[in-house]
Amino acid sequence: MPHRRKCTLGKCCFCISLYCGSILIAFYTIMSGLLNAATLADDIIFRKNLSSDNWVKWFNIGHVCLMIAAAVILLVAVMTNHILSIQIWMGLFVVHIIGYYIAYHAVINVRNPFFSSALSTVLYVLVILLTLAIDIYSLIVVYSRYNQLKNPQDYMPKCVDRT
C-alpha cells in the first residue's frame, strides 16, 4: 500500500533500525516514568505546604504507573514481535499524551508558582514542547515498527525476489 509507506519511517533517527529504536523508546519511557516518580516523591515528601489539589498526586501516581506499564509492554512486545501488545502500547501512549500534556500541564500547572517571570514561563513551555515532539516522534517510530511487522512484504528491499 503506497499510503501506508507515507505514514511510516524506514529507520529511527535515520541510522538505527526500527527494532532498536523501539527498544530505545521503551527505555526512554521507563526513564521518563521514573523521573516523574522522583519529582512526585519530592513533592510528597519534602514539600510542607501543598499548593496543588489533592487529586493531582493521584493523577501523578496513575500517570507514573501508566508510563512504566506501557514501557514494559513495549519492551516485551518488541522483543517478541507481538503485534497486539504494540497496539496496546500505542493506545496507552496516546492516553499519556492526552493526559499529561492537556490535563496536567494545561489545566493543573497554570496555577504553578514557577510562572513568576516571563523567562521561566518561556523555558517551561519550550521544555514541554520539546518533550511533546519527542513523544510524538516515539509514537511514529513504534507505529512504523508495528506496520513493518504487520506488512513485511512492503519493507522488503526491491532487489529481493518476492515469489
Side-chain angles (χ1 to χ4, degrees):
M1 288 263 172
H3 297 291
R4 188 169 42 234
R5 289 292 300 245
K6 291 180 183 177
C7 300
T8 59
L9 301 172
K11 293 197 177 275
C12 175
C13 299
F14 303 108
C15 61
I16 303 172
S17 70
L18 293 175
Y19 176 80
C20 292
S22 296
I23 291 173
L24 289 174
I25 289 168
F27 285 119
Y28 160 74
T29 309
I30 288 173
M31 292 305 296
S32 64
L34 292 177
L35 182 65
N36 285 337
T39 57
L40 175 66
D42 182 52
D43 283 347
I44 290 175
I45 294 172
F46 296 112
R47 186 182 282 179
K48 300 298 180 195
N49 54 351
L50 300 173
S51 61
S52 59
D53 299 330
N54 194 23
W55 66 273
V56 172
K57 284 185 235 155
W58 292 108
F59 176 83
N60 281 333
I61 290 170
H63 180 257
V64 166
C65 292
L66 174 89
M67 290 295 292
I68 293 175
V72 170
I73 287 171
L74 179 63
L75 195 58
V76 169
V78 170
M79 297 288 216
T80 61
N81 293 334
H82 194 253
I83 294 175
L84 180 63
S85 297
I86 294 176
Q87 285 178 329
I88 291 170
W89 180 85
M90 286 189 292
L92 290 174
F93 209 70
V94 167
V95 168
H96 148 70
I97 288 173
I98 292 170
Y100 192 64
Y101 292 105
I102 294 175
Y104 186 70
H105 289 293
V107 175
I108 296 170
N109 275 345
V110 171
R111 302 181 306 226
N112 196 343
F114 181 71
F115 295 136
S116 59
S117 70
L119 179 63
S120 62
T121 304
V122 168
L123 287 175
Y124 183 80
V125 169
L126 287 176
V127 167
I128 295 305
L129 289 176
L130 177 69
T131 57
L132 178 63
I134 292 171
D135 283 351
I136 290 172
Y137 183 73
S138 299
L139 193 60
I140 291 170
V141 168
V142 173
Y143 173 74
S144 299
R145 176 66 181 159
Y146 164 77
N147 202 10
Q148 186 181 44
L149 287 175
K150 190 166 181 167
N151 307 299
Q153 69 278 4
D154 291 345
Y155 289 89
M156 289 174 41
K158 293 182 181 181
C159 64
V160 175
D161 188 19
R162 296 183 183 201
T163 58

Short mmCIF file of all heavy atoms in Angstrom, two decimals, residues 12-62:
data_model
loop_
_atom_site.label_atom_id
_atom_site.label_comp_id
_atom_site.label_asym_id
_atom_site.label_seq_id
_atom_site.Cartn_x
_atom_site.Cartn_y
_atom_site.Cartn_z
N CYS A 12 14.86 4.65 12.58
CA CYS A 12 14.73 5.58 13.70
C CYS A 12 15.96 6.49 13.70
O CYS A 12 17.09 6.00 13.65
CB CYS A 12 14.62 4.80 15.00
SG CYS A 12 14.59 5.83 16.46
N CYS A 13 15.77 7.76 13.71
CA CYS A 13 16.84 8.76 13.70
C CYS A 13 17.76 8.60 12.49
O CYS A 13 18.95 8.89 12.57
CB CYS A 13 17.65 8.69 14.98
SG CYS A 13 16.68 9.04 16.45
N PHE A 14 17.25 8.13 11.39
CA PHE A 14 17.95 7.98 10.12
C PHE A 14 19.09 6.97 10.12
O PHE A 14 19.73 6.78 9.10
CB PHE A 14 18.48 9.33 9.60
CG PHE A 14 17.41 10.35 9.45
CD1 PHE A 14 17.34 11.42 10.34
CD2 PHE A 14 16.48 10.27 8.44
CE1 PHE A 14 16.36 12.38 10.20
CE2 PHE A 14 15.49 11.22 8.30
CZ PHE A 14 15.43 12.28 9.18
N CYS A 15 19.39 6.32 11.24
CA CYS A 15 20.53 5.39 11.25
C CYS A 15 20.30 4.14 12.08
O CYS A 15 21.08 3.20 11.98
CB CYS A 15 21.78 6.11 11.75
SG CYS A 15 21.63 6.72 13.43
N ILE A 16 19.25 4.09 12.87
CA ILE A 16 19.01 2.94 13.75
C ILE A 16 17.80 2.18 13.21
O ILE A 16 16.83 2.79 12.76
CB ILE A 16 18.73 3.42 15.20
CG1 ILE A 16 19.89 4.25 15.71
CG2 ILE A 16 18.46 2.25 16.12
CD1 ILE A 16 19.62 4.91 17.04
N SER A 17 17.83 0.88 13.29
CA SER A 17 16.69 0.09 12.83
C SER A 17 15.48 0.37 13.72
O SER A 17 15.61 0.83 14.86
CB SER A 17 17.03 -1.40 12.86
OG SER A 17 17.14 -1.86 14.20
N LEU A 18 14.31 0.10 13.19
CA LEU A 18 13.09 0.34 13.95
C LEU A 18 13.02 -0.56 15.18
O LEU A 18 12.46 -0.17 16.21
CB LEU A 18 11.86 0.12 13.05
CG LEU A 18 11.68 1.14 11.94
CD1 LEU A 18 10.51 0.75 11.05
CD2 LEU A 18 11.48 2.53 12.49
N TYR A 19 13.59 -1.74 15.09
CA TYR A 19 13.64 -2.66 16.22
C TYR A 19 14.43 -2.03 17.38
O TYR A 19 13.94 -1.94 18.50
CB TYR A 19 14.28 -3.98 15.78
CG TYR A 19 14.48 -4.99 16.88
CD1 TYR A 19 13.42 -5.77 17.32
CD2 TYR A 19 15.73 -5.15 17.47
CE1 TYR A 19 13.60 -6.70 18.34
CE2 TYR A 19 15.92 -6.08 18.47
CZ TYR A 19 14.86 -6.85 18.90
OH TYR A 19 15.04 -7.76 19.91
N CYS A 20 15.64 -1.59 17.10
CA CYS A 20 16.47 -0.96 18.14
C CYS A 20 15.88 0.37 18.60
O CYS A 20 15.93 0.70 19.78
CB CYS A 20 17.89 -0.75 17.62
SG CYS A 20 18.79 -2.26 17.37
N GLY A 21 15.30 1.12 17.67
CA GLY A 21 14.67 2.38 18.03
C GLY A 21 13.50 2.18 18.97
O GLY A 21 13.29 2.95 19.92
N SER A 22 12.72 1.11 18.75
CA SER A 22 11.59 0.83 19.64
C SER A 22 12.07 0.42 21.03
O SER A 22 11.45 0.78 22.03
CB SER A 22 10.72 -0.26 19.04
OG SER A 22 10.15 0.17 17.83
N ILE A 23 13.18 -0.30 21.09
CA ILE A 23 13.75 -0.66 22.39
C ILE A 23 14.25 0.59 23.11
O ILE A 23 14.04 0.77 24.31
CB ILE A 23 14.87 -1.71 22.23
CG1 ILE A 23 14.26 -3.04 21.78
CG2 ILE A 23 15.66 -1.89 23.52
CD1 ILE A 23 15.27 -4.10 21.44
N LEU A 24 14.90 1.49 22.37
CA LEU A 24 15.35 2.75 22.98
C LEU A 24 14.17 3.58 23.47
O LEU A 24 14.24 4.22 24.52
CB LEU A 24 16.18 3.55 21.98
CG LEU A 24 17.56 2.99 21.66
CD1 LEU A 24 18.21 3.81 20.55
CD2 LEU A 24 18.43 2.98 22.89
N ILE A 25 13.07 3.56 22.73
CA ILE A 25 11.87 4.29 23.14
C ILE A 25 11.28 3.66 24.40
O ILE A 25 10.78 4.38 25.28
CB ILE A 25 10.87 4.36 21.99
CG1 ILE A 25 11.41 5.31 20.92
CG2 ILE A 25 9.49 4.80 22.46
CD1 ILE A 25 10.67 5.27 19.62
N ALA A 26 11.35 2.34 24.52
CA ALA A 26 10.88 1.69 25.75
C ALA A 26 11.71 2.16 26.95
O ALA A 26 11.15 2.47 28.01
CB ALA A 26 10.94 0.17 25.60
N PHE A 27 13.02 2.24 26.77
CA PHE A 27 13.86 2.72 27.87
C PHE A 27 13.63 4.22 28.14
O PHE A 27 13.67 4.65 29.29
CB PHE A 27 15.33 2.43 27.60
CG PHE A 27 15.68 0.99 27.80
CD1 PHE A 27 16.18 0.24 26.74
CD2 PHE A 27 15.51 0.37 29.02
CE1 PHE A 27 16.50 -1.10 26.92
CE2 PHE A 27 15.83 -0.96 29.22
CZ PHE A 27 16.31 -1.70 28.16
N TYR A 28 13.38 5.00 27.10
CA TYR A 28 13.03 6.41 27.29
C TYR A 28 11.74 6.53 28.09
O TYR A 28 11.64 7.37 28.99
CB TYR A 28 12.89 7.10 25.93
CG TYR A 28 12.10 8.38 25.96
CD1 TYR A 28 12.65 9.53 26.51
CD2 TYR A 28 10.80 8.44 25.47
CE1 TYR A 28 11.92 10.72 26.56
CE2 TYR A 28 10.07 9.62 25.52
CZ TYR A 28 10.64 10.75 26.06
OH TYR A 28 9.92 11.91 26.11
N THR A 29 10.78 5.67 27.80
CA THR A 29 9.51 5.70 28.53
C THR A 29 9.71 5.31 29.99
O THR A 29 9.12 5.93 30.88
CB THR A 29 8.49 4.77 27.85
OG1 THR A 29 8.43 5.07 26.46
CG2 THR A 29 7.11 4.93 28.44
N ILE A 30 10.55 4.31 30.23
CA ILE A 30 10.85 3.93 31.62
C ILE A 30 11.53 5.08 32.35
O ILE A 30 11.18 5.42 33.48
CB ILE A 30 11.72 2.66 31.66
CG1 ILE A 30 10.91 1.44 31.25
CG2 ILE A 30 12.31 2.45 33.05
CD1 ILE A 30 11.72 0.17 31.10
N MET A 31 12.52 5.70 31.70
CA MET A 31 13.25 6.79 32.35
C MET A 31 12.35 7.99 32.63
O MET A 31 12.45 8.61 33.68
CB MET A 31 14.46 7.21 31.51
CG MET A 31 15.55 6.16 31.43
SD MET A 31 16.12 5.60 33.05
CE MET A 31 16.83 7.08 33.69
N SER A 32 11.48 8.33 31.69
CA SER A 32 10.58 9.46 31.95
C SER A 32 9.57 9.12 33.04
O SER A 32 9.21 9.98 33.84
CB SER A 32 9.87 9.90 30.66
OG SER A 32 9.04 8.88 30.18
N GLY A 33 9.14 7.86 33.10
CA GLY A 33 8.26 7.45 34.20
C GLY A 33 8.95 7.53 35.54
O GLY A 33 8.38 7.99 36.53
N LEU A 34 10.21 7.08 35.60
CA LEU A 34 10.97 7.16 36.85
C LEU A 34 11.29 8.60 37.23
O LEU A 34 11.29 8.96 38.41
CB LEU A 34 12.25 6.34 36.73
CG LEU A 34 12.06 4.82 36.64
CD1 LEU A 34 13.39 4.14 36.45
CD2 LEU A 34 11.33 4.29 37.86
N LEU A 35 11.53 9.45 36.23
CA LEU A 35 11.76 10.87 36.52
C LEU A 35 10.49 11.51 37.08
O LEU A 35 10.56 12.30 38.04
CB LEU A 35 12.20 11.59 35.25
CG LEU A 35 12.54 13.07 35.39
CD1 LEU A 35 13.75 13.25 36.29
CD2 LEU A 35 12.79 13.68 34.04
N ASN A 36 9.35 11.17 36.52
CA ASN A 36 8.09 11.68 37.07
C ASN A 36 7.85 11.15 38.47
O ASN A 36 7.33 11.86 39.33
CB ASN A 36 6.93 11.30 36.16
CG ASN A 36 6.88 12.14 34.91
OD1 ASN A 36 7.40 13.24 34.88
ND2 ASN A 36 6.25 11.62 33.87
N ALA A 37 8.23 9.89 38.73
CA ALA A 37 8.09 9.32 40.07
C ALA A 37 9.00 10.04 41.07
O ALA A 37 8.60 10.29 42.21
CB ALA A 37 8.41 7.83 40.06
N ALA A 38 10.20 10.40 40.62
CA ALA A 38 11.13 11.13 41.51
C ALA A 38 10.60 12.51 41.85
O ALA A 38 10.68 12.95 43.00
CB ALA A 38 12.50 11.22 40.86
N THR A 39 10.06 13.21 40.86
CA THR A 39 9.51 14.53 41.15
C THR A 39 8.26 14.43 42.00
O THR A 39 8.01 15.29 42.85
CB THR A 39 9.19 15.30 39.86
OG1 THR A 39 8.28 14.55 39.06
CG2 THR A 39 10.45 15.59 39.08
N LEU A 40 7.48 13.37 41.82
CA LEU A 40 6.30 13.17 42.66
C LEU A 40 6.71 12.88 44.09
O LEU A 40 6.12 13.44 45.03
CB LEU A 40 5.46 12.01 42.10
CG LEU A 40 4.25 11.59 42.93
CD1 LEU A 40 3.23 12.71 42.96
CD2 LEU A 40 3.63 10.33 42.36
N ALA A 41 7.73 12.05 44.28
CA ALA A 41 8.21 11.76 45.63
C ALA A 41 8.77 13.01 46.28
O ALA A 41 8.56 13.24 47.48
CB ALA A 41 9.27 10.67 45.58
N ASP A 42 9.45 13.84 45.52
CA ASP A 42 9.97 15.09 46.05
C ASP A 42 8.82 16.00 46.50
O ASP A 42 8.89 16.61 47.56
CB ASP A 42 10.81 15.79 44.99
CG ASP A 42 11.42 17.08 45.50
OD1 ASP A 42 12.06 17.05 46.56
OD2 ASP A 42 11.23 18.11 44.83
N ASP A 43 7.76 16.07 45.71
CA ASP A 43 6.62 16.89 46.08
C ASP A 43 5.92 16.37 47.32
O ASP A 43 5.53 17.13 48.20
CB ASP A 43 5.60 16.96 44.93
CG ASP A 43 6.03 17.91 43.84
OD1 ASP A 43 6.97 18.68 44.07
OD2 ASP A 43 5.42 17.85 42.75
N ILE A 44 5.76 15.06 47.42
CA ILE A 44 5.02 14.48 48.55
C ILE A 44 5.83 14.53 49.83
O ILE A 44 5.32 14.88 50.88
CB ILE A 44 4.60 13.03 48.22
CG1 ILE A 44 3.53 13.05 47.13
CG2 ILE A 44 4.08 12.32 49.46
CD1 ILE A 44 3.14 11.68 46.64
N ILE A 45 7.12 14.19 49.76
CA ILE A 45 7.92 14.05 50.97
C ILE A 45 8.45 15.39 51.48
O ILE A 45 8.34 15.71 52.66
CB ILE A 45 9.09 13.08 50.73
CG1 ILE A 45 8.52 11.68 50.48
CG2 ILE A 45 10.05 13.06 51.91
CD1 ILE A 45 9.56 10.67 50.04
N PHE A 46 9.01 16.20 50.60
CA PHE A 46 9.75 17.37 51.06
C PHE A 46 8.97 18.68 51.03
O PHE A 46 9.41 19.65 51.60
CB PHE A 46 11.03 17.52 50.22
CG PHE A 46 11.97 16.38 50.40
CD1 PHE A 46 12.20 15.50 49.36
CD2 PHE A 46 12.59 16.17 51.61
CE1 PHE A 46 13.06 14.43 49.52
CE2 PHE A 46 13.46 15.10 51.77
CZ PHE A 46 13.69 14.23 50.73
N ARG A 47 7.85 18.72 50.36
CA ARG A 47 7.09 19.96 50.32
C ARG A 47 6.09 19.96 51.47
O ARG A 47 5.23 19.11 51.57
CB ARG A 47 6.34 20.10 49.00
CG ARG A 47 5.67 21.45 48.87
CD ARG A 47 4.91 21.56 47.61
NE ARG A 47 5.82 21.81 46.51
CZ ARG A 47 5.44 21.94 45.26
NH1 ARG A 47 4.18 21.82 44.95
NH2 ARG A 47 6.31 22.18 44.32
N LYS A 48 6.23 20.93 52.35
CA LYS A 48 5.36 21.00 53.52
C LYS A 48 4.04 21.69 53.20
O LYS A 48 3.00 21.30 53.68
CB LYS A 48 6.07 21.75 54.66
CG LYS A 48 7.34 21.09 55.10
CD LYS A 48 7.08 19.72 55.64
CE LYS A 48 8.39 19.10 56.08
NZ LYS A 48 8.31 17.70 56.30
N ASN A 49 4.08 22.74 52.40
CA ASN A 49 2.84 23.42 52.04
C ASN A 49 2.44 22.98 50.64
O ASN A 49 3.17 23.16 49.68
CB ASN A 49 3.00 24.94 52.11
CG ASN A 49 4.16 25.42 51.28
OD1 ASN A 49 4.95 24.64 50.78
ND2 ASN A 49 4.27 26.72 51.15
N LEU A 50 1.28 22.36 50.54
CA LEU A 50 0.82 21.83 49.26
C LEU A 50 0.03 22.91 48.54
O LEU A 50 -1.01 23.36 49.01
CB LEU A 50 -0.04 20.59 49.49
CG LEU A 50 0.68 19.44 50.19
CD1 LEU A 50 -0.28 18.34 50.51
CD2 LEU A 50 1.80 18.93 49.32
N SER A 51 0.55 23.33 47.40
CA SER A 51 -0.12 24.39 46.65
C SER A 51 -1.09 23.84 45.62
O SER A 51 -1.82 24.59 45.01
CB SER A 51 0.93 25.26 45.94
OG SER A 51 1.66 24.47 45.03
N SER A 52 -1.08 22.54 45.41
CA SER A 52 -1.97 21.96 44.41
C SER A 52 -3.05 21.12 45.09
O SER A 52 -3.01 20.85 46.29
CB SER A 52 -1.17 21.11 43.43
OG SER A 52 -0.50 20.09 44.12
N ASP A 53 -4.00 20.71 44.31
CA ASP A 53 -5.10 19.92 44.83
C ASP A 53 -4.63 18.52 45.20
O ASP A 53 -3.60 18.04 44.74
CB ASP A 53 -6.21 19.81 43.77
CG ASP A 53 -6.76 21.17 43.39
OD1 ASP A 53 -6.75 22.07 44.26
OD2 ASP A 53 -7.19 21.33 42.24
N ASN A 54 -5.42 17.85 46.02
CA ASN A 54 -5.07 16.51 46.47
C ASN A 54 -5.14 15.51 45.32
O ASN A 54 -4.36 14.56 45.27
CB ASN A 54 -6.00 16.10 47.60
CG ASN A 54 -5.50 14.88 48.32
OD1 ASN A 54 -4.31 14.58 48.29
ND2 ASN A 54 -6.38 14.17 48.98
N TRP A 55 -6.06 15.70 44.38
CA TRP A 55 -6.20 14.75 43.28
C TRP A 55 -5.04 14.81 42.30
O TRP A 55 -4.84 13.90 41.51
CB TRP A 55 -7.53 14.93 42.55
CG TRP A 55 -7.66 16.23 41.82
CD1 TRP A 55 -8.10 17.41 42.32
CD2 TRP A 55 -7.35 16.47 40.45
NE1 TRP A 55 -8.07 18.38 41.35
CE2 TRP A 55 -7.62 17.83 40.20
CE3 TRP A 55 -6.86 15.68 39.42
CZ2 TRP A 55 -7.41 18.40 38.95
CZ3 TRP A 55 -6.67 16.26 38.18
CH2 TRP A 55 -6.94 17.60 37.96
N VAL A 56 -4.24 15.87 42.36
CA VAL A 56 -3.08 15.98 41.48
C VAL A 56 -2.07 14.88 41.81
O VAL A 56 -1.46 14.30 40.91
CB VAL A 56 -2.44 17.39 41.61
CG1 VAL A 56 -1.14 17.47 40.85
CG2 VAL A 56 -3.41 18.43 41.14
N LYS A 57 -1.91 14.57 43.11
CA LYS A 57 -1.00 13.50 43.49
C LYS A 57 -1.47 12.16 42.92
O LYS A 57 -0.67 11.38 42.42
CB LYS A 57 -0.91 13.40 45.01
CG LYS A 57 -0.07 14.47 45.62
CD LYS A 57 0.05 14.23 47.09
CE LYS A 57 -0.40 15.49 47.75
NZ LYS A 57 -0.91 15.42 49.04
N TRP A 58 -2.75 11.92 42.98
CA TRP A 58 -3.28 10.66 42.46
C TRP A 58 -3.18 10.61 40.95
O TRP A 58 -2.95 9.55 40.36
CB TRP A 58 -4.71 10.43 42.94
CG TRP A 58 -4.73 10.17 44.40
CD1 TRP A 58 -5.18 11.01 45.38
CD2 TRP A 58 -4.23 9.01 45.07
NE1 TRP A 58 -5.00 10.44 46.61
CE2 TRP A 58 -4.42 9.22 46.44
CE3 TRP A 58 -3.63 7.84 44.63
CZ2 TRP A 58 -4.03 8.27 47.39
CZ3 TRP A 58 -3.25 6.89 45.58
CH2 TRP A 58 -3.45 7.12 46.94
N PHE A 59 -3.34 11.74 40.29
CA PHE A 59 -3.14 11.80 38.84
C PHE A 59 -1.70 11.46 38.50
O PHE A 59 -1.43 10.69 37.58
CB PHE A 59 -3.51 13.19 38.32
CG PHE A 59 -3.24 13.36 36.85
CD1 PHE A 59 -4.17 12.93 35.92
CD2 PHE A 59 -2.06 13.93 36.40
CE1 PHE A 59 -3.93 13.07 34.57
CE2 PHE A 59 -1.81 14.07 35.05
CZ PHE A 59 -2.75 13.64 34.13
N ASN A 60 -0.76 12.01 39.25
CA ASN A 60 0.66 11.73 39.01
C ASN A 60 1.00 10.27 39.28
O ASN A 60 1.77 9.67 38.54
CB ASN A 60 1.54 12.64 39.85
CG ASN A 60 1.67 14.02 39.27
OD1 ASN A 60 1.55 14.19 38.08
ND2 ASN A 60 1.91 15.00 40.12
N ILE A 61 0.45 9.71 40.34
CA ILE A 61 0.70 8.30 40.64
C ILE A 61 0.16 7.42 39.52
O ILE A 61 0.83 6.49 39.06
CB ILE A 61 0.09 7.92 42.01
CG1 ILE A 61 0.88 8.59 43.13
CG2 ILE A 61 0.07 6.41 42.20
CD1 ILE A 61 0.25 8.48 44.49
N GLY A 62 -1.05 7.71 39.05
CA GLY A 62 -1.62 6.96 37.93
C GLY A 62 -0.81 7.12 36.66
O GLY A 62 -0.60 6.16 35.91
#
